[in-house]
Amino acid sequence: MKHLMNKKGGTYAEKAVVFFVVWFISWIIWAIWLDGIEAAVAGCLTGIAVVTVSQIVIGTGRH
C-alpha cells in the first residue's frame, strides 16, 4: 500500500471514500430540485468539485 501514498493527502482509497460520501450527500440535496439522472450527475459534478478544491487547499496548506 505504500506505493499508493500521496504526499498531498492520503491514499486513493481515502479519496474515493470522501468522494462517495460527498456525492451521496449532494445527490440527496440536488434531488430536491432535479429529477432522475440529473440529480445523480449534478451530485457527481459537485463531488468532483469539492474533492478537487479540498485537495488544492490541503496541498497548498502543507508547503
Side-chain angles (χ1 to χ4, degrees):
M1 276 304 229
K2 209 171 197 181
H3 65 283
L4 294 177
M5 292 301 288
N6 185 351
K7 289 182 181 180
K8 293 186 179 180
T11 65
Y12 293 115
E14 290 172 346
K15 292 177 187 176
V17 169
V18 169
F19 171 77
F20 180 75
V21 169
V22 171
W23 170 78
F24 189 74
I25 292 169
S26 62
W27 170 68
I28 291 172
I29 293 170
W30 278 111
I32 295 170
W33 296 283
L34 302 173
D35 292 326
I37 193 73
E38 295 171 346
V41 170
C44 183
L45 294 175
T46 304
I48 290 171
V50 168
V51 169
T52 302
V53 169
S54 68
Q55 288 299 308
I56 291 170
V57 170
I58 291 170
T60 58
R62 290 188 178 184
H63 291 289

